[in-house]
């Protein structure tokens, strides 16, 4: 099985910064994508930023507006989200999502999507 562990959430005042970390472990053959999503109270989960192993392209949601930066450490199977100039509207639960392949019992590779447990980010005014 694949495990995804998040850390770095917390409470911050408007204009402050937080850095989220997400580490994937377990029976991973390779990682295809690592990204961050968030879900505000009463709203649907939405993409924040995403990275891909095969390209340097970084996918950012429009609402980030240059405030957030997604990075990754491939050797550690870890993805980070640096969040600067946080606003109260950024409040929500942030989830890491890992897409990759894992070997099954027959030795074949199966694609998986695994979510982290979620990290609460609260931005106060």
């Amino acid at each position: 099985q694949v495990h995804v562990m998040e850390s770095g959430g917390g409470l911050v005042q408007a204009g402050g910064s937080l850095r989220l970390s997400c580490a994937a472990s377990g029976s991973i053959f390779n990682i295809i994508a690592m990204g961050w999503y968030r879900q505000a109270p009463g709203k649907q989960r939405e993409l924040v930023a995403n990275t891909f192993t095969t390209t340097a392209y970084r996918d950012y949601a429009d609402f980030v507006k240059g405030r957030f930066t997604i990075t990754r450490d491939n050797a550690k199977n870890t993805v980070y989200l640096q969040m600067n100039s946080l606003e109260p509207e950024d409040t929500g639960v942030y989830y890491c999502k890992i897409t990759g392949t894992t070997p099954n019992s027959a030795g074949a590779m199966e694609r998986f999507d695994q979510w982290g447990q979620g990290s609460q980010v609260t931005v106060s005014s």
Side-chain angles (χ1 to χ4, degrees):
Q1 55 183 337
V2 178
H3 304 277
V4 180
M5 297 296 295
E6 301 181 27
S7 63
L11 174 65
V12 65
Q13 292 185 345
S17 299
L18 286 173
R19 189 191 189 213
L20 303 180
S21 299
C22 175
S25 62
S27 301
I28 300 172
F29 180 74
N30 76 307
I31 292 178
I32 298 171
M34 307 180 74
W36 291 94
Y37 299 74
R38 73 183 187 187
Q39 188 166 17
K43 298 182 179 179
Q44 294 184 333
R45 190 171 300 183
E46 61 185 349
L47 171 73
V48 176
N50 200 18
T51 69
F52 305 90
T53 302
T54 58
T55 178
Y57 174 75
R58 301 290 184 265
D59 189 15
Y60 290 99
D62 289 340
F63 59 75
V64 172
K65 298 181 179 180
R67 299 179 296 122
F68 295 0
T69 302
I70 186 170
T71 58
R72 60 189 294 172
D73 186 336
N74 292 332
K76 298 180 179 180
N77 287 341
T78 301
V79 64
Y80 307 91
L81 184 67
Q82 179 66 46
M83 302 183 291
N84 299 325
S85 301
L86 284 163
E87 304 168 353
E89 292 75 19
D90 296 316
T91 294
V93 180
Y94 285 68
Y95 297 90
C96 176
K97 180 184 178 183
I98 310 297
T99 301
T101 58
T102 182
N104 62 20
S105 59
M109 297 299 112
E110 293 183 342
R111 183 164 177 156
F112 71 88
D113 291 319
Q114 187 65 246
W115 293 88
Q117 78 277 14
S119 300
Q120 177 66 48
V121 172
T122 303
V123 184
S124 64
S125 62

